[in-house]
C-alpha cells in the first residue's frame, strides 16, 4: 500500500509553499485580490503537485540510475500509480480553477496545465527546458490575475487601447497589469531550472555567473518604487539565493548546485512577497514571504528538488 509519506515525497509537498505566492502576487498586481483568490491558489498547488508526480513518472528510468532512492525506482510507488496521481491532480486543479474563476480562469489554467505536462514529457531535457518551466510559473502568476477587472482600477474605462486589450485577452487589462510580475517570477524560475539541470553532474562556472546576474536583475525588478517592505524582501531574496549561487561559483560540485536549487525554490516566497508588497499590499506581502523560512525547515524532511 502506498504510504502518505511516499506520496508527499513524490509530489515534493513542502515545495508547494512556493506556489500560492504566484497567484497572490498576480492578483495583487491586477487589483484582483478577493474571495476567489484562495481557491485559485489551491488550484495552482494541485497543478504543481501534478507536475511533480508527472516529472517523476517521466524520469523513472533515469532516476533508477541517478536517484534510486526516489519513490518510483525504490519500488515504494508503482509507475502507474504515479501517473494516475498526476492525471487526477491535473483534473482537480482545472476543476477548482474553473469553479473559482469561470471561463477566465480556465482560459489560463488549461494552457498552464498543458505547459506543465509539455515540460515533463517533452521539453525538460532539451535546450528549451528552462524557458518552458519559466512559462509555467509566469502563467501561474497570471492565473491570479485572471479574474481581475477588465478595465482600469475602480471599473472605469481607461482608454480605447485598454478596452481593446480587454477584449483581446481573457481577463482584460488585469493580465496586462500582472505581466511585469509574471515576467519577474518567470526569470527567477529560469535561473533555478537552469541550475537544476546540473544537480547530478555539477556545473561549470559560466552557469552560476549567468544565473547570479539574473538573480540580481530579478531582485532589482521587484523593488519598484522606493518602499521599505519590498526593498527588504527583495534584498532578503537576493542575499540568500545569491549567496548559494556564489558558493556554486566557488565550488561547482553537484552538492553545491543542489543546495542552490533548494535555495531558489524555498526563497521564491520572499520574491513573491516583494512583488505583492510593491502592488500596495504590504501586510500580505510579508505573509507571503513568511512561507520561505517554513519551506526551508520542511525541506530538511522532504527534498524540494
Amino acid at each position: 500500500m502506498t504510504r502518505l509519506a511516499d506520496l508527499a515525497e513524490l509530489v515534493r509537498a513542502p515545495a508547494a509553499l512556493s506556489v500560492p505566492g504566484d497567484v497572490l502576487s498576480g492578483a495583487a498586481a491586477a487589483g484582483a485580490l478577493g474571495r476567489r483568490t484562495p481557491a485559485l491558489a489551491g488550484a495552482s498547488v494541485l497543478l504543481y503537485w501534478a507536475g511533480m508526480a508527472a516529472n517523476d513518472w517521466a524520469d523513472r528510468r533515469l532516476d533508477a540510475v541517478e536517484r534510486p532512492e526516489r519513490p518510483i525506482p525504490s519500488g515504494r510507488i508503482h509507475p502507474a500509480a504515479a501517473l494516475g496521481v498526476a492525471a487526477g491532480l491535473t483534473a482537480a486543479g482545472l476543476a477548482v480553477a474553473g469553479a473559482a474563476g469561470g471561463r477566465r480562469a480556465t482560459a489560463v489554467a488549461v494552457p498552464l496545465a498543458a505547459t506543465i505536462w509539455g515540460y515533463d514529457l517533452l521539453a525538460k531535457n532539451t535546450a528549451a527546458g528552462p524557458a518552458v518551466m519559466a512559462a509555467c510559473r509566469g502563467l501561474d502568476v497570471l492565473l491570479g490575475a485572471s479574474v481581475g477587472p477588465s478595465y482600469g482600477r475602480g471599473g472605469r474605462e481607461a482608454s480605447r487601447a485598454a478596452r481593446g486589450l480587454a477584449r483581446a485577452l481573457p481577463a482584460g487589462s488585469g493580465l496586462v497589469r500582472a505581466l511585469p510580475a509574471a515576467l519577474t517570477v518567470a526569470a527567477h524560475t529560469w535561473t533555478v531550472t537552469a541550475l537544476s539541470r546540473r544537480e547530478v553532474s555539477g556545473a561549470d562556472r559560466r552557469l552560476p555567473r549567468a544565473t547570479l546576474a539574473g538573480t540580481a536583475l530579478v531582485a532589482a525588478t521587484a523593488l519598484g518604487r522606493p518602499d521599505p517592505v519590498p526593498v527588504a524582501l527583495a534584498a532578503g531574496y537576493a542575499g540568500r539565493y545569491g549567496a548559494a549561487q556564489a558558493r556554486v561559483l566557488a565550488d561547482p560540485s553537484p552538492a553545491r548546485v543542489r543546495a542552490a536549487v533548494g535555495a531558489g525554490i524555498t526563497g521564491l516566497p520572499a520574491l513573491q512577497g516583494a512583488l505583492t508588497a510593491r502592488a500596495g499590499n504590504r501586510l500580505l506581502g510579508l505573509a507571503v514571504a513568511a512561507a520561505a523560512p517554513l519551506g526551508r525547515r520542511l525541506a530538511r524532511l522532504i527534498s524540494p528538488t
Side-chain angles (χ1 to χ4, degrees):
M1 178 180 292
T2 299
R3 298 185 307 155
L4 184 60
D6 296 329
L7 288 174
E9 185 178 349
L10 176 73
V11 301
R12 298 164 180 80
L17 287 171
S18 72
V19 177
D22 286 343
V23 170
L24 292 171
S25 62
L33 286 168
R35 58 183 177 81
R36 292 179 288 186
T37 305
L40 291 175
S44 174
V45 169
L46 292 170
L47 292 173
Y48 181 88
W49 281 340
M52 293 296 100
N55 175 80
D56 272 25
W57 179 81
D59 278 358
R60 62 194 185 279
R61 294 184 180 87
L62 180 63
D63 283 346
V65 177
E66 295 183 346
R67 297 182 179 185
E69 73 282 359
R70 291 293 301 159
I72 295 177
S74 67
R76 288 176 287 138
I77 292 182
H78 192 277
L83 184 60
V85 167
L89 288 170
T90 300
L94 292 175
V96 171
R103 287 181 296 177
R104 286 182 170 185
T106 300
V108 179
V110 169
L112 170 58
T115 306
I116 290 170
W117 280 85
Y119 173 81
D120 287 333
L121 301 182
L122 298 173
K124 178 169 49 183
N125 295 319
T126 71
V132 175
M133 179 55 75
C136 290
R137 281 287 189 169
L139 286 168
D140 204 31
V141 174
L142 294 181
L143 181 62
S146 62
V147 294
S150 294
Y151 301 113
R153 296 186 184 275
R156 297 178 180 177
E157 297 184 6
S159 64
R160 287 186 178 181
R163 293 197 299 273
L165 285 171
R167 286 190 292 269
L169 293 170
S173 59
L175 290 182
V176 175
R177 290 199 299 271
L179 190 57
L183 292 174
T184 298
V185 172
H188 163 79
T189 304
W190 184 92
T191 68
V192 177
T193 308
L195 285 168
S196 72
R197 291 156 70 94
R198 296 293 181 267
E199 286 183 314
V200 174
S201 62
D204 64 52
R205 287 179 171 81
R206 289 176 297 177
L207 178 59
R209 285 195 192 100
T211 60
L212 193 54
T215 298
L217 180 60
V218 165
T221 302
L223 295 177
R225 61 188 182 187
D227 186 303
V229 174
V231 167
L233 293 177
Y237 153 80
R240 181 172 291 274
Y241 183 34
Q245 293 172 83
R247 288 190 286 271
V248 176
L249 191 57
D251 173 18
S253 63
R256 287 285 177 87
V257 173
R258 285 194 295 271
V261 172
I265 294 172
T266 59
L268 178 55
L271 174 62
Q272 296 160 334
L275 293 170
T276 303
R278 186 184 70 177
N281 297 271
R282 296 179 183 85
L283 290 179
L284 181 58
L286 290 170
V288 170
L294 178 58
R296 287 192 291 271
R297 290 183 181 180
L298 293 176
R300 299 169 188 169
L301 301 176
I302 300 176
S303 173
T305 67

